[in-house]
Amino acid sequence: MVQESDTDVIVSSVFSTAQGTRNKSGAHTVTEFVLLGFPGHWEIQILLFSLFLIVYILTLMGNGAIVCAVRWDQRLHTPMYFLLGNFAFLDIWYITSTVPSMLENFLSETKTISFAGCFLQFYFFSSLGTTEVYFLCIMAYDRYLAICHPLHYPTIMTLRHCFILMSVCWVLGFLSYSLSAVQLSQLTFCGPNTIDHIICDIDPLMSLSCIPDPATEILFYILSSLILFIPILYILGSYILLLRAVLQVPSAAGRWKAFSTCGSHLAVVCLFFGSLMIMYVSPTSENSGEVQKIMTLFYSVVTPFLNPMIYSLRNKEMKAALRKLMGITSE
């Protein structure tokens, strides 16, 4: 007797109940998807659940501490730290758009996600990720002004200007993929309904549509390319100008001090955009399903987890504010 694999058991047990209802033409309409995630034995699922739960809690604590420090420490009421506080707040929601669903998936026997839940996750994950891209742009703009135009910085980057830029980032972030998400949800899904991924993303959903829609696919990839390449070119241009200004500083100590103020931001940019480029720029056919899962995991979970450590460990003011928040007094 041939023993079925865990994945086959999951798919076969769910397929009959999650396939959906029939539409007017007699074809099945999918009402649920099977989100495979990381299939494996129950012991592996429990181990992954524990690991992801710890990472999620630490991410909430780290980013939450930055938000509270910026909110309550008057010394951090400057544009740079308001941007950092908003970025930490964004990371809390960004990781929350995926990890709770993953945690539920690890403990689920059927691993199903509703039709509406799948597309809501896609919309919020894409929108929050896009907002993060925009925030990295204005943080690069802030560092460019501070280093390349230090005398004009206080008059240009006022708190009012900073709040306007942050508001624009949030609004544009949630508007960017609204049309694509609606168009994607209007596609016809008549089976199969198994998504071999850890989240509801565009590629696996498009591949499950039984009636191809090239217009929606082209619109999405044009939009994604613009959102990805224009910001990264802007950030690279900012750092080229910034590096040129730093190299003109006469003393080595002055050059190091000037560049260290933007080193944390540059590290976050490399982590976030590096994984995005591997995931979305390289041909999908060259990336196996497991590679896509790992890359998605990196920019959706690992980067928000590392951001608080990157920013707090390299910033004296932030470390002092966090010590004050925790009631630790420096001798």
Side-chain angles (χ1 to χ4, degrees):
M1 184 176 181
V2 179
Q3 186 177 3
E4 294 181 303
S5 65
D6 292 337
T7 303
D8 293 335
V9 171
I10 293 171
V11 173
S12 61
S13 64
V14 174
F15 192 81
S16 59
T17 57
Q19 186 66 28
T21 60
R22 290 181 180 272
N23 57 23
K24 293 181 180 179
S25 63
H28 284 285
T29 301
V30 170
T31 58
E32 288 181 323
F33 293 102
V34 181
L35 197 59
L36 290 183
F38 294 103
H41 295 291
W42 180 248
E43 292 79 7
I44 296 177
Q45 299 296 304
I46 293 297
L47 177 63
L48 290 174
F49 173 85
S50 303
L51 177 62
F52 276 66
L53 180 61
I54 292 173
V55 170
Y56 181 57
I57 292 174
L58 291 177
T59 303
L60 296 184
M61 292 175 60
N63 286 287
I66 290 178
V67 172
C68 293
V70 174
R71 172 66 178 84
W72 290 326
D73 195 319
Q74 295 291 329
R75 294 172 297 178
L76 302 185
H77 287 187
T78 63
M80 183 182 79
Y81 289 109
F82 277 128
L83 287 171
L84 179 57
N86 262 261
F87 191 73
F89 179 74
L90 172 60
D91 270 339
I92 291 174
W93 288 106
Y94 186 47
I95 195 172
T96 300
S97 69
T98 57
V99 171
S101 175
M102 294 181 194
L103 294 175
E104 181 183 2
N105 187 275
F106 289 134
L107 301 181
S108 172
E109 294 182 1
T110 60
K111 298 187 179 296
T112 57
I113 183 172
S114 67
F115 185 90
C118 188
F119 286 99
L120 282 174
Q121 184 189 65
F122 165 74
Y123 172 69
F124 282 106
F125 174 71
S126 301
S127 299
L128 290 165
T130 304
T131 306
E132 188 144 337
V133 169
Y134 296 154
F135 259 92
L136 289 173
C137 283
I138 63 172
M139 291 169 79
Y141 171 66
D142 176 75
R143 292 299 84 206
Y144 163 76
L145 287 178
I147 293 177
C148 296
H149 302 284
L151 298 179
H152 299 286
Y153 178 78
T155 58
I156 297 176
M157 186 58 77
T158 61
L159 290 181
R160 182 176 181 274
H161 188 203
C162 179
F163 291 144
I164 290 174
L165 289 175
M166 291 189 296
S167 301
V168 169
C169 285
W170 283 99
V171 172
L172 287 182
F174 276 84
L175 287 179
S176 295
Y177 280 102
S178 56
L179 179 59
S180 297
V182 171
Q183 287 183 312
L184 188 61
S185 66
Q186 298 303 311
L187 297 179
T188 302
F189 298 90
C190 49
N193 65 335
T194 303
I195 302 175
D196 187 14
H197 209 338
I198 58 176
I199 60 171
C200 293
D201 206 356
I202 179 68
D203 285 328
L205 286 172
M206 288 291 296
S207 65
L208 290 181
S209 175
C210 53
I211 302 178
D213 187 359
T216 298
E217 188 172 2
I218 292 172
L219 174 64
F220 178 84
Y221 285 113
I222 290 176
L223 181 61
S224 297
S225 298
L226 293 175
I227 291 174
L228 184 62
F229 284 106
I230 292 178
I232 192 63
L233 290 176
Y234 174 81
I235 292 173
L236 288 176
S238 299
Y239 272 96
I240 290 173
L241 296 175
L242 187 149
L243 182 60
R244 187 177 67 178
V246 169
L247 292 177
Q248 293 176 353
V249 176
S251 65
R255 288 194 297 270
W256 171 251
K257 182 179 180 181
F259 192 75
S260 64
T261 60
C262 57
S264 299
H265 178 259
L266 185 60
V268 172
V269 168
C270 292
L271 286 171
F272 187 70
F273 278 99
S275 55
L276 278 178
M277 298 285 279
I278 295 174
M279 181 67 183
Y280 291 107
V281 175
S282 60
T284 305
S285 58
E286 296 183 4
N287 295 331
S288 65
E290 294 304 316
V291 171
Q292 293 185 39
K293 292 177 186 180
I294 292 173
M295 287 297 102
T296 302
L297 194 66
F298 197 85
Y299 66 78
S300 64
V301 178
V302 176
T303 302
F305 170 69
L306 294 177
N307 284 350
M309 291 182 283
I310 292 173
Y311 280 112
S312 61
L313 291 177
R314 293 181 58 89
N315 190 293
K316 294 181 179 180
E317 290 81 6
M318 180 57 66
K319 285 192 289 186
L322 290 175
R323 285 196 297 265
K324 180 180 178 181
L325 181 67
M326 293 183 292
I328 302 174
T329 57
S330 56
E331 295 182 0

